[in-house]
Amino acid sequence: MKNRYTIAALAALMLATSTAQAQFQRPDDAVKYRQGALFVMGQHFGRVGAMASGRVPFDAQVAQQNMDVVMALSTLPWAGFGPETQSVNSRAKPNVWTDRAAFDEAGRNTLVALAALNEATRTGNLEAVRRTFGAAAATCKVCHDNFRN
Amino acid sequence: MKNRYTIAALAALMLATSTAQAQFQRPDDAVKYRQGALFVMGQHFGRVGAMASGRVPFDAQVAQQNMDVVMALSTLPWAGFGPETQSVNSRAKPNVWTDRAAFDEAGRNTLVALAALNEATRTGNLEAVRRTFGAAAATCKVCHDNFRN
């Protein structure tokens, strides 16, 4: 797994992933897919957060294992927000589709922030993990606040 | 991402993963986690299957991308089958917990078969992909038939 990401590479990856994986049999599957990927990501991200906040002792190796999963999943959910899923009941707000540029930018910001957190976990420096975790969590919150009911 | 797995390494990984990640706040979360991980895995596994069966043209690069996701997820769901989840409504049969050794063996068989499929996609040999996909799908089916309603 690569440890270095650039914004351009991430954006390209996100687009390539969306294209290569827009292969859902039914809109329901796309929704289950994005929800599943985001939930699993969120669980592992949260475990890093528990260490960042001091709720559990910091273990650099466990933080890295969790970030490996987060990074492997981070490019996936976006393919599940295709226009055909607009009619499926979910917490996604209509502006995911009507303000797509802002939604895509929010997604890219999260990928960039997660890449920085991933780098930080590899340094084993808890202060850097704390700082980059907070920044990454803030990008998640922007999307949740603006695009999720 | 490593391309070579041994049965012993996989079994150790599965156990380590189960231990390191048995950190669910609530039994419901564990169930959503295992369902999400298995669903996302299944989608990507199915895309390799579509190529194996000839429903879509074989593209070695896309097959490998899909197997990267499958392999990254393949060790995760098992942590979501903790004893505390037995009371949560799901399709899991009680024998997941009452016949745990058989369940764990079925999981290990799937990991081993997926590793073989992963190897095969890296050769770009469609015949090898077909054969190992069929074997891997058979291990999924054993578990679904025996441990899922």
Short mmCIF file of all heavy atoms in Angstrom, two decimals, chain A residues 1 20-21 23-24 29 32-33 36-37 39-40 43-44 47 65-66 69 72-73 76, chain B residues 1 20-21 23-24 29 32-33 36-37 39-40 43-44 47 65-66 69 72-73 76:
data_model
loop_
_atom_site.label_atom_id
_atom_site.label_comp_id
_atom_site.label_asym_id
_atom_site.label_seq_id
_atom_site.Cartn_x
_atom_site.Cartn_y
_atom_site.Cartn_z
N MET A 1 0.84 -1.19 0.00
CA MET A 1 0.00 0.00 0.00
C MET A 1 0.88 1.25 0.00
O MET A 1 1.82 1.34 0.77
CB MET A 1 -0.89 -0.03 1.24
CG MET A 1 -2.21 0.64 1.03
SD MET A 1 -3.39 0.10 2.28
CE MET A 1 -3.53 -1.64 1.88
N ALA A 20 -14.59 2.79 -12.92
CA ALA A 20 -14.36 1.34 -13.01
C ALA A 20 -15.41 0.56 -12.23
O ALA A 20 -15.71 -0.57 -12.55
CB ALA A 20 -12.96 0.99 -12.49
N GLN A 21 -15.96 1.19 -11.19
CA GLN A 21 -16.81 0.42 -10.30
C GLN A 21 -18.29 0.80 -10.36
O GLN A 21 -19.05 0.39 -9.50
CB GLN A 21 -16.26 0.54 -8.88
CG GLN A 21 -14.83 -0.01 -8.85
CD GLN A 21 -14.17 0.17 -7.52
OE1 GLN A 21 -14.64 0.94 -6.71
NE2 GLN A 21 -13.09 -0.53 -7.29
N GLN A 23 -20.84 -0.35 -11.39
CA GLN A 23 -21.31 -1.62 -11.96
C GLN A 23 -22.36 -2.25 -11.07
O GLN A 23 -22.39 -3.46 -10.91
CB GLN A 23 -20.13 -2.59 -12.11
CG GLN A 23 -19.05 -2.09 -13.04
CD GLN A 23 -17.85 -3.03 -13.04
OE1 GLN A 23 -17.81 -4.01 -12.32
NE2 GLN A 23 -16.85 -2.71 -13.85
N PHE A 24 -23.18 -1.44 -10.45
CA PHE A 24 -24.18 -1.99 -9.54
C PHE A 24 -25.35 -2.54 -10.35
O PHE A 24 -25.79 -1.93 -11.31
CB PHE A 24 -24.64 -0.92 -8.56
CG PHE A 24 -23.50 -0.38 -7.73
CD1 PHE A 24 -22.96 0.86 -8.01
CD2 PHE A 24 -22.95 -1.14 -6.72
CE1 PHE A 24 -21.90 1.36 -7.27
CE2 PHE A 24 -21.89 -0.65 -5.97
CZ PHE A 24 -21.35 0.60 -6.25
N ASP A 29 -28.40 -1.64 -4.42
CA ASP A 29 -27.06 -2.21 -4.16
C ASP A 29 -26.04 -1.09 -3.99
O ASP A 29 -25.15 -1.18 -3.14
CB ASP A 29 -26.62 -3.11 -5.32
CG ASP A 29 -27.36 -4.44 -5.34
OD1 ASP A 29 -27.98 -4.79 -4.32
OD2 ASP A 29 -27.31 -5.11 -6.38
N LYS A 32 -26.53 0.35 -0.51
CA LYS A 32 -25.99 -0.57 0.51
C LYS A 32 -24.46 -0.56 0.48
O LYS A 32 -23.80 -0.64 1.51
CB LYS A 32 -26.48 -2.01 0.26
CG LYS A 32 -27.84 -2.30 0.85
CD LYS A 32 -28.30 -3.71 0.51
CE LYS A 32 -27.62 -4.79 1.33
NZ LYS A 32 -28.21 -6.14 1.05
N TYR A 33 -23.92 -0.47 -0.72
CA TYR A 33 -22.46 -0.47 -0.91
C TYR A 33 -21.83 0.76 -0.27
O TYR A 33 -20.89 0.66 0.51
CB TYR A 33 -22.17 -0.50 -2.40
CG TYR A 33 -20.72 -0.41 -2.79
CD1 TYR A 33 -19.94 -1.55 -2.94
CD2 TYR A 33 -20.12 0.82 -3.07
CE1 TYR A 33 -18.61 -1.47 -3.32
CE2 TYR A 33 -18.80 0.91 -3.46
CZ TYR A 33 -18.05 -0.24 -3.58
OH TYR A 33 -16.74 -0.15 -3.96
N GLY A 36 -22.25 0.59 3.50
CA GLY A 36 -21.37 -0.41 4.09
C GLY A 36 -19.93 0.07 4.14
O GLY A 36 -19.26 -0.05 5.17
N ALA A 37 -19.46 0.62 3.03
CA ALA A 37 -18.07 1.09 2.97
C ALA A 37 -17.85 2.22 3.96
O ALA A 37 -16.84 2.24 4.68
CB ALA A 37 -17.73 1.53 1.54
N PHE A 39 -19.58 2.84 6.67
CA PHE A 39 -19.70 2.37 8.06
C PHE A 39 -18.42 1.66 8.51
O PHE A 39 -17.92 1.92 9.62
CB PHE A 39 -20.91 1.43 8.22
CG PHE A 39 -21.17 1.07 9.65
CD1 PHE A 39 -21.85 1.96 10.48
CD2 PHE A 39 -20.70 -0.11 10.19
CE1 PHE A 39 -22.06 1.66 11.82
CE2 PHE A 39 -20.90 -0.42 11.53
CZ PHE A 39 -21.59 0.46 12.35
N VAL A 40 -17.90 0.79 7.67
CA VAL A 40 -16.67 0.06 8.04
C VAL A 40 -15.52 1.06 8.20
O VAL A 40 -14.76 1.01 9.17
CB VAL A 40 -16.34 -1.04 7.00
CG1 VAL A 40 -14.99 -1.69 7.31
CG2 VAL A 40 -17.44 -2.09 6.99
N GLN A 43 -15.86 2.93 11.46
CA GLN A 43 -15.46 2.15 12.64
C GLN A 43 -13.95 2.22 12.84
O GLN A 43 -13.48 2.43 13.95
CB GLN A 43 -15.90 0.69 12.47
CG GLN A 43 -17.40 0.49 12.57
CD GLN A 43 -17.92 0.65 14.00
OE1 GLN A 43 -17.40 0.04 14.92
NE2 GLN A 43 -18.92 1.48 14.19
N HIS A 44 -13.21 2.03 11.75
CA HIS A 44 -11.75 2.03 11.89
C HIS A 44 -11.21 3.43 12.14
O HIS A 44 -10.26 3.62 12.91
CB HIS A 44 -11.11 1.37 10.65
CG HIS A 44 -11.34 -0.10 10.61
ND1 HIS A 44 -10.52 -1.00 11.24
CD2 HIS A 44 -12.35 -0.84 10.07
CE1 HIS A 44 -11.00 -2.22 11.08
NE2 HIS A 44 -12.12 -2.15 10.37
N ARG A 47 -11.61 4.21 15.70
CA ARG A 47 -10.62 3.57 16.60
C ARG A 47 -9.34 4.40 16.67
O ARG A 47 -8.68 4.44 17.71
CB ARG A 47 -10.33 2.15 16.12
CG ARG A 47 -11.53 1.25 16.35
CD ARG A 47 -11.39 -0.12 15.73
NE ARG A 47 -12.70 -0.75 15.64
CZ ARG A 47 -12.96 -1.88 15.01
NH1 ARG A 47 -11.98 -2.54 14.41
NH2 ARG A 47 -14.18 -2.37 14.98
N GLN A 65 -2.73 -0.18 11.41
CA GLN A 65 -3.60 -1.23 10.87
C GLN A 65 -4.98 -0.66 10.55
O GLN A 65 -5.58 -0.95 9.52
CB GLN A 65 -3.76 -2.37 11.88
CG GLN A 65 -2.52 -3.25 12.02
CD GLN A 65 -2.60 -4.20 13.21
OE1 GLN A 65 -3.51 -4.11 14.03
NE2 GLN A 65 -1.64 -5.10 13.29
N ASN A 66 -5.48 0.18 11.47
CA ASN A 66 -6.78 0.79 11.23
C ASN A 66 -6.74 1.73 10.04
O ASN A 66 -7.66 1.75 9.22
CB ASN A 66 -7.26 1.51 12.50
CG ASN A 66 -7.82 0.55 13.52
OD1 ASN A 66 -8.73 -0.21 13.23
ND2 ASN A 66 -7.26 0.56 14.71
N VAL A 69 -6.96 0.02 6.66
CA VAL A 69 -8.33 -0.29 6.25
C VAL A 69 -9.03 0.97 5.76
O VAL A 69 -9.70 0.97 4.71
CB VAL A 69 -9.13 -0.93 7.41
CG1 VAL A 69 -10.56 -1.22 6.97
CG2 VAL A 69 -8.46 -2.20 7.90
N ALA A 72 -7.78 1.85 2.31
CA ALA A 72 -8.24 0.90 1.29
C ALA A 72 -9.70 1.15 0.93
O ALA A 72 -10.12 0.94 -0.21
CB ALA A 72 -8.05 -0.53 1.78
N LEU A 73 -10.49 1.62 1.90
CA LEU A 73 -11.92 1.84 1.67
C LEU A 73 -12.24 3.25 1.19
O LEU A 73 -13.31 3.49 0.63
CB LEU A 73 -12.70 1.57 2.97
CG LEU A 73 -12.90 0.10 3.33
CD1 LEU A 73 -13.35 -0.04 4.78
CD2 LEU A 73 -13.93 -0.54 2.41
N LEU A 76 -13.81 4.15 -2.18
CA LEU A 76 -14.92 3.33 -2.68
C LEU A 76 -16.31 3.96 -2.62
O LEU A 76 -17.06 3.87 -3.58
CB LEU A 76 -14.97 1.99 -1.92
CG LEU A 76 -13.71 1.11 -1.97
CD1 LEU A 76 -13.97 -0.20 -1.23
CD2 LEU A 76 -13.28 0.84 -3.40
N MET B 1 0.55 -3.95 -0.97
CA MET B 1 -0.26 -5.11 -0.62
C MET B 1 0.48 -6.39 -1.01
O MET B 1 0.96 -6.50 -2.13
CB MET B 1 -1.59 -5.03 -1.35
CG MET B 1 -2.70 -5.69 -0.60
SD MET B 1 -4.29 -5.10 -1.21
CE MET B 1 -4.23 -3.37 -0.71
N ALA B 20 -7.60 -7.53 17.57
CA ALA B 20 -7.30 -6.10 17.54
C ALA B 20 -8.56 -5.28 17.28
O ALA B 20 -8.64 -4.14 17.70
CB ALA B 20 -6.26 -5.80 16.46
N GLN B 21 -9.53 -5.86 16.61
CA GLN B 21 -10.65 -5.05 16.18
C GLN B 21 -11.97 -5.36 16.88
O GLN B 21 -13.01 -4.90 16.46
CB GLN B 21 -10.79 -5.18 14.65
CG GLN B 21 -9.52 -4.67 13.99
CD GLN B 21 -9.50 -4.89 12.51
OE1 GLN B 21 -10.31 -5.64 11.98
NE2 GLN B 21 -8.59 -4.23 11.82
N GLN B 23 -13.76 -4.12 18.94
CA GLN B 23 -13.87 -2.85 19.65
C GLN B 23 -15.19 -2.17 19.31
O GLN B 23 -15.23 -0.95 19.17
CB GLN B 23 -12.71 -1.93 19.23
CG GLN B 23 -11.35 -2.45 19.62
CD GLN B 23 -10.24 -1.59 19.04
OE1 GLN B 23 -10.51 -0.62 18.35
NE2 GLN B 23 -9.01 -1.93 19.33
N PHE B 24 -16.24 -2.95 19.14
CA PHE B 24 -17.50 -2.34 18.77
C PHE B 24 -18.17 -1.75 20.01
O PHE B 24 -18.16 -2.37 21.07
CB PHE B 24 -18.40 -3.38 18.10
CG PHE B 24 -17.77 -3.97 16.87
CD1 PHE B 24 -17.21 -5.22 16.88
CD2 PHE B 24 -17.72 -3.21 15.69
CE1 PHE B 24 -16.61 -5.75 15.74
CE2 PHE B 24 -17.11 -3.73 14.56
CZ PHE B 24 -16.56 -5.00 14.58
N ASP B 29 -23.56 -2.48 16.07
CA ASP B 29 -22.46 -1.97 15.24
C ASP B 29 -21.67 -3.13 14.64
O ASP B 29 -21.25 -3.07 13.48
CB ASP B 29 -21.51 -1.10 16.07
CG ASP B 29 -22.12 0.26 16.40
OD1 ASP B 29 -23.12 0.65 15.77
OD2 ASP B 29 -21.58 0.92 17.31
N LYS B 32 -23.71 -4.50 11.74
CA LYS B 32 -23.65 -3.61 10.58
C LYS B 32 -22.27 -3.67 9.92
O LYS B 32 -22.14 -3.62 8.70
CB LYS B 32 -23.92 -2.15 11.00
CG LYS B 32 -25.40 -1.81 11.11
CD LYS B 32 -25.61 -0.38 11.58
CE LYS B 32 -25.34 0.67 10.53
NZ LYS B 32 -25.70 2.04 11.02
N TYR B 33 -21.26 -3.79 10.77
CA TYR B 33 -19.87 -3.85 10.29
C TYR B 33 -19.65 -5.10 9.44
O TYR B 33 -19.16 -5.04 8.33
CB TYR B 33 -18.95 -3.83 11.49
CG TYR B 33 -17.48 -3.98 11.21
CD1 TYR B 33 -16.68 -2.87 10.98
CD2 TYR B 33 -16.88 -5.24 11.18
CE1 TYR B 33 -15.31 -3.00 10.74
CE2 TYR B 33 -15.52 -5.38 10.94
CZ TYR B 33 -14.75 -4.26 10.72
OH TYR B 33 -13.41 -4.40 10.47
N GLY B 36 -21.71 -4.89 6.27
CA GLY B 36 -21.14 -3.90 5.34
C GLY B 36 -19.90 -4.44 4.66
O GLY B 36 -19.75 -4.34 3.43
N ALA B 37 -19.00 -5.02 5.45
CA ALA B 37 -17.75 -5.54 4.89
C ALA B 37 -18.04 -6.67 3.90
O ALA B 37 -17.46 -6.73 2.81
CB ALA B 37 -16.82 -6.01 6.01
N PHE B 39 -20.83 -7.19 2.25
CA PHE B 39 -21.55 -6.70 1.07
C PHE B 39 -20.58 -6.04 0.08
O PHE B 39 -20.63 -6.31 -1.13
CB PHE B 39 -22.65 -5.72 1.47
CG PHE B 39 -23.52 -5.34 0.29
CD1 PHE B 39 -24.53 -6.18 -0.13
CD2 PHE B 39 -23.29 -4.17 -0.42
CE1 PHE B 39 -25.30 -5.86 -1.25
CE2 PHE B 39 -24.05 -3.84 -1.52
CZ PHE B 39 -25.07 -4.68 -1.94
N VAL B 40 -19.70 -5.19 0.60
CA VAL B 40 -18.73 -4.51 -0.29
C VAL B 40 -17.82 -5.55 -0.94
O VAL B 40 -17.57 -5.53 -2.15
CB VAL B 40 -17.93 -3.44 0.48
CG1 VAL B 40 -16.83 -2.85 -0.39
CG2 VAL B 40 -18.87 -2.33 0.98
N GLN B 43 -19.65 -7.37 -3.70
CA GLN B 43 -19.79 -6.60 -4.93
C GLN B 43 -18.53 -6.72 -5.78
O GLN B 43 -18.60 -6.94 -6.99
CB GLN B 43 -20.04 -5.12 -4.59
CG GLN B 43 -21.43 -4.86 -4.01
CD GLN B 43 -22.52 -4.99 -5.06
OE1 GLN B 43 -22.44 -4.39 -6.12
NE2 GLN B 43 -23.53 -5.79 -4.77
N HIS B 44 -17.38 -6.57 -5.15
CA HIS B 44 -16.13 -6.62 -5.92
C HIS B 44 -15.81 -8.05 -6.37
O HIS B 44 -15.32 -8.26 -7.47
CB HIS B 44 -14.99 -6.01 -5.10
CG HIS B 44 -15.13 -4.53 -4.97
ND1 HIS B 44 -14.64 -3.66 -5.91
CD2 HIS B 44 -15.76 -3.75 -4.06
CE1 HIS B 44 -14.94 -2.41 -5.56
NE2 HIS B 44 -15.63 -2.45 -4.43
N ARG B 47 -17.79 -8.77 -9.39
CA ARG B 47 -17.29 -8.17 -10.63
C ARG B 47 -16.20 -9.03 -11.27
O ARG B 47 -16.08 -9.10 -12.48
CB ARG B 47 -16.77 -6.77 -10.35
CG ARG B 47 -17.92 -5.81 -10.02
CD ARG B 47 -17.44 -4.47 -9.53
NE ARG B 47 -18.56 -3.78 -8.88
CZ ARG B 47 -18.46 -2.65 -8.22
NH1 ARG B 47 -17.29 -2.04 -8.12
NH2 ARG B 47 -19.53 -2.10 -7.67
N GLN B 65 -7.77 -4.77 -9.55
CA GLN B 65 -8.28 -3.69 -8.68
C GLN B 65 -9.39 -4.23 -7.78
O GLN B 65 -9.45 -3.91 -6.59
CB GLN B 65 -8.83 -2.53 -9.53
CG GLN B 65 -7.75 -1.70 -10.22
CD GLN B 65 -8.33 -0.74 -11.25
OE1 GLN B 65 -9.51 -0.80 -11.57
NE2 GLN B 65 -7.48 0.14 -11.77
N ASN B 66 -10.26 -5.03 -8.36
CA ASN B 66 -11.35 -5.58 -7.56
C ASN B 66 -10.81 -6.54 -6.50
O ASN B 66 -11.28 -6.53 -5.36
CB ASN B 66 -12.37 -6.28 -8.48
CG ASN B 66 -13.30 -5.29 -9.15
OD1 ASN B 66 -13.95 -4.49 -8.48
ND2 ASN B 66 -13.35 -5.31 -10.47
N VAL B 69 -9.44 -4.85 -3.41
CA VAL B 69 -10.47 -4.49 -2.42
C VAL B 69 -10.93 -5.73 -1.66
O VAL B 69 -11.04 -5.71 -0.43
CB VAL B 69 -11.68 -3.81 -3.11
CG1 VAL B 69 -12.75 -3.47 -2.08
CG2 VAL B 69 -11.24 -2.56 -3.87
N ALA B 72 -8.31 -6.69 0.87
CA ALA B 72 -8.22 -5.72 1.98
C ALA B 72 -9.37 -5.93 2.96
O ALA B 72 -9.23 -5.70 4.16
CB ALA B 72 -8.21 -4.30 1.45
N LEU B 73 -10.52 -6.36 2.45
CA LEU B 73 -11.70 -6.53 3.30
C LEU B 73 -11.82 -7.94 3.88
O LEU B 73 -12.53 -8.14 4.88
CB LEU B 73 -12.97 -6.23 2.49
CG LEU B 73 -13.25 -4.75 2.23
CD1 LEU B 73 -14.30 -4.58 1.13
CD2 LEU B 73 -13.74 -4.08 3.52
N LEU B 76 -11.76 -8.79 7.61
CA LEU B 76 -12.49 -7.94 8.54
C LEU B 76 -13.77 -8.53 9.12
O LEU B 76 -14.02 -8.40 10.32
CB LEU B 76 -12.83 -6.60 7.88
CG LEU B 76 -11.65 -5.76 7.35
CD1 LEU B 76 -12.17 -4.45 6.79
CD2 LEU B 76 -10.62 -5.51 8.43
#
